[in-house]
Amino acid sequence: MQKEIDIKIKDTLALDLQKGVPILLKDGFQETDNLEEGSILKLKNPAGKFLGKGYVGKQNKGIGWLLTKNENEIIDTAFFQKKIAAAIKQRDDFYNSSETTAFRVFNGEGDGIGGLIIDYFDGFYVISWYSEGIYSFKEMILEALEASVSYKGIYEKKRFDTKGQYLEDDDFVKGQRGEFPLIVKENGLNFAIYLNDGAMVGVFLDQRDVRKKIRDVYSKGKTVLNTFSYTGAFSVFAAAGGATKTTSVDLAKRSLGKTTEQFEVNGIDVEKQDIIVMDVFDYFKYAKRKELSFDVVILDPPSFARSKKYTFSSAKDYTNLLKDSIAITEKSGIIVASTNNATFGMKKFKSFVEKAFKESNRKYIIEEEFSLPSDFKTSPLFKEGNYLKVLFIRAK
Ligand code: SAH
């Protein structure tokens, strides 16, 4: 059994924990420098009353996560197994689907353990460790997962500072090694996935419902511009939905080969699509100069991006990004605006839209709103965990 440390926390954090807030914010503690990653804390209010047990795992503003409010519950393999089994049960529909074979099995604090993410890719599991602290429970968590599922192989992603130690690693943990690309399905289409090649595996699973909507409702007979396109997942769905042409723009050189591959594994003629390696902000200028316009423009930028010429922060610059897009969107066209920035909510995101259309002298209506899909379970008391915001905006 892990050693447990009694620790008194400030009243503010005590109140939060009582409500069920899962994160242990740094400023709820008198002193955090000597807290060791992976330690189990018995959290008590200033009067000494027990509030919960958590673990130390530093991530941004948090120094760790609440695990249980039960003083008698021991943090051991059985504890992790209980949590993982409950999460798996809630994903029954995904496990039983033949149309979709890639989904999130365990979503951190939403499933009761902050800092731990487990994704499923057609028989393979990928565990993402968000701190050294959660990584210190690796043996228990692996044992718990293996007791809950059968699998082909397990991979891992260390999303904390490993100080360069693991650079040569292919992230394989146990079972059988995969052959990559691994072809997984999403709503009947294919994705080529690489579990052995860095943090990003080829697709962001949180946009599944958005991709489906683009394919099923918004693509037939349309020209589609997909900016910040990465491996072109939105373009694949648009093309499969009958888009006359898709244009994918990303500045990463690898995006050309990766996007070509995603079209090919779906039997879509790549020759009919444009895949452009270019800075999106240069592309907007180019498109304006050439008087190009599109029926559908998809915007899915990272929260922060720094290229040679531009810095983009979604909290500061989204309005301008929208204005650039509005300028090349056909009358009655659709802008799919997405952000994964957790520092602002839907209300503020909508205010960017309002401002951008006002300043462009165009009217609009919002046709669809999306947040995270059901497998990305969130905690109602940790709103930063519910980061995804997507709007389908009809530009008049
Ligand atoms: N929309 C994608 C995910 C985007 S990930 C999807 O659905 O899968 C963010 C991408 O933005 C990365 O591929 C990165 O290379 C690209 N990127 C960042 N800054 C950029 C810029 N200024 N111009 C073009 N692409 C950029």
Side-chain angles (χ1 to χ4, degrees):
M1 192 179 110
Q2 206 104 359
K3 198 177 83 195
E4 295 183 351
I5 303 163
D6 280 302
I7 190 162
K8 281 200 175 154
I9 55 175
K10 294 184 194 167
D11 269 325
T12 47
L13 180 58
L15 282 173
D16 274 357
L17 293 185
Q18 243 157 4
K19 282 187 235 155
V21 171
I23 193 168
L24 307 177
L25 286 174
K26 184 168 190 232
D27 56 19
F29 293 80
Q30 307 292 352
E31 169 68 56
T32 56
D33 287 350
N34 48 17
L35 291 179
E36 253 180 72
E37 290 281 324
S39 309
I40 298 290
L41 305 178
K42 274 180 94 170
L43 303 150
K44 300 188 167 176
N45 75 5
K49 182 175 169 247
F50 173 85
L51 292 163
K53 286 186 196 179
Y55 78 91
V56 178
K58 295 176 188 168
Q59 269 177 266
N60 309 324
K61 283 186 229 157
I63 65 105
W65 298 92
L66 180 68
L67 292 172
T68 175
K69 289 170 113 175
N70 176 353
E71 192 163 8
N72 300 318
E73 190 156 30
I74 294 162
I75 309 307
D76 56 6
T77 303
F79 169 84
F80 289 113
Q81 198 175 324
K82 196 176 79 186
K83 295 281 184 202
I84 290 172
I88 287 170
K89 203 162 161 226
Q90 290 182 13
R91 274 78 172 178
D92 238 14
D93 289 352
F94 285 97
Y95 277 103
N96 291 327
S97 167
S98 55
E99 292 281 284
T100 296
T101 59
F103 53 89
R104 180 146 296 183
V105 171
F106 197 95
N107 196 40
E109 72 286 349
D111 284 297
I113 306 170
L116 175 69
I117 301 277
I118 307 175
D119 289 323
Y120 177 85
F121 295 93
D122 196 22
F124 290 86
Y125 285 84
V126 179
I127 308 177
S128 296
W129 314 98
Y130 278 80
S131 67
E132 227 178 298
I134 193 67
Y135 188 69
S136 72
F137 298 102
K138 178 172 171 174
E139 290 312 314
M140 285 189 221
I141 290 171
L142 273 178
E143 218 181 297
L145 179 62
E146 291 188 81
S148 313
V149 294
S150 55
Y151 63 90
K152 293 179 191 155
I154 300 176
Y155 282 75
E156 69 181 351
K157 304 290 168 193
K158 299 189 188 92
R159 295 180 184 267
F160 53 93
D161 186 5
T162 55
K163 302 182 178 82
Q165 241 177 311
Y166 305 98
L167 280 178
E168 298 297 310
D169 209 350
D170 71 350
D171 296 335
F172 178 71
V173 180
K174 67 192 301 179
Q176 78 195 56
R177 278 190 149 77
E179 274 180 42
F180 302 110
L182 173 72
I183 305 298
V184 302
K185 283 207 173 302
E186 182 183 282
N187 290 308
L189 292 176
N190 294 327
F191 281 130
I193 298 294
Y194 295 79
L195 303 180
N196 57 344
D197 189 24
M200 305 209 286
V201 301
V203 66
F204 291 99
L205 298 175
D206 55 1
Q207 298 278 15
R208 179 190 312 113
D209 296 347
V210 178
R211 284 189 282 268
K212 183 172 190 305
K213 187 62 90 176
I214 288 173
R215 178 189 66 187
D216 295 352
V217 181
Y218 289 94
S219 297
K220 200 167 173 43
K222 307 291 186 198
T223 54
V224 177
L225 173 65
N226 180 14
T227 63
F228 305 95
S229 55
Y230 179 45
T231 61
F234 285 125
S235 309
V236 166
F237 270 67
T244 47
K245 191 172 113 180
T246 65
T247 303
S248 306
V249 183
D250 196 294
L251 59 66
K253 286 206 181 66
R254 57 156 199 247
S255 69
L256 175 57
K258 292 276 184 192
T259 304
T260 302
E261 180 178 44
Q262 299 299 17
F263 280 122
E264 281 173 355
V265 298
N266 285 289
I268 295 166
D269 188 355
V270 187
E271 296 302 315
K272 292 193 181 144
Q273 318 298 328
D274 276 348
I275 305 168
I276 301 174
V277 176
M278 197 193 268
D279 196 304
V280 160
F281 301 101
D282 285 332
Y283 184 79
F284 282 125
K285 287 182 192 156
Y286 164 85
K288 241 174 142 171
R289 208 166 57 235
K290 297 269 174 189
E291 294 180 9
L292 303 181
S293 63
F294 298 87
D295 299 316
V296 178
V297 177
I298 301 167
L299 306 172
D300 182 26
S303 292
F304 297 98
R306 184 170 290 137
S307 60
K308 274 187 202 128
K309 280 202 258 171
Y310 313 93
T311 348
F312 174 83
S313 141
S314 56
K316 287 203 201 98
D317 306 319
Y318 214 109
T319 302
N320 284 332
L321 178 63
L322 281 162
K323 284 167 78 175
D324 284 339
S325 313
I326 292 166
I328 58 167
T329 302
E330 286 283 353
K331 196 166 165 20
S332 269
I334 288 282
I335 296 175
V336 179
S338 172
T339 180
N340 57 11
N341 192 326
T343 67
F344 59 85
M346 189 55 113
K347 207 172 153 198
K348 180 138 182 216
F349 192 41
K350 285 183 178 170
S351 78
F352 298 156
V353 174
E354 175 70 25
K355 189 157 186 262
F357 275 88
K358 204 167 180 190
E359 291 176 8
S360 306
N361 284 316
R362 297 259 305 255
K363 294 218 166 0
Y364 69 96
I365 51 165
I366 291 173
E367 297 213 339
E368 318 270 354
E369 276 184 44
F370 285 88
S371 56
L372 287 171
S374 62
D375 49 332
F376 283 63
K377 201 179 165 209
T378 55
S379 156
L381 292 160
F382 184 64
K383 61 179 185 340
E384 293 90 333
N386 199 357
Y387 57 86
L388 187 69
K389 297 165 277 294
V390 185
L391 296 171
F392 284 52
I393 311 155
R394 180 150 330 256
K396 302 244 171 153

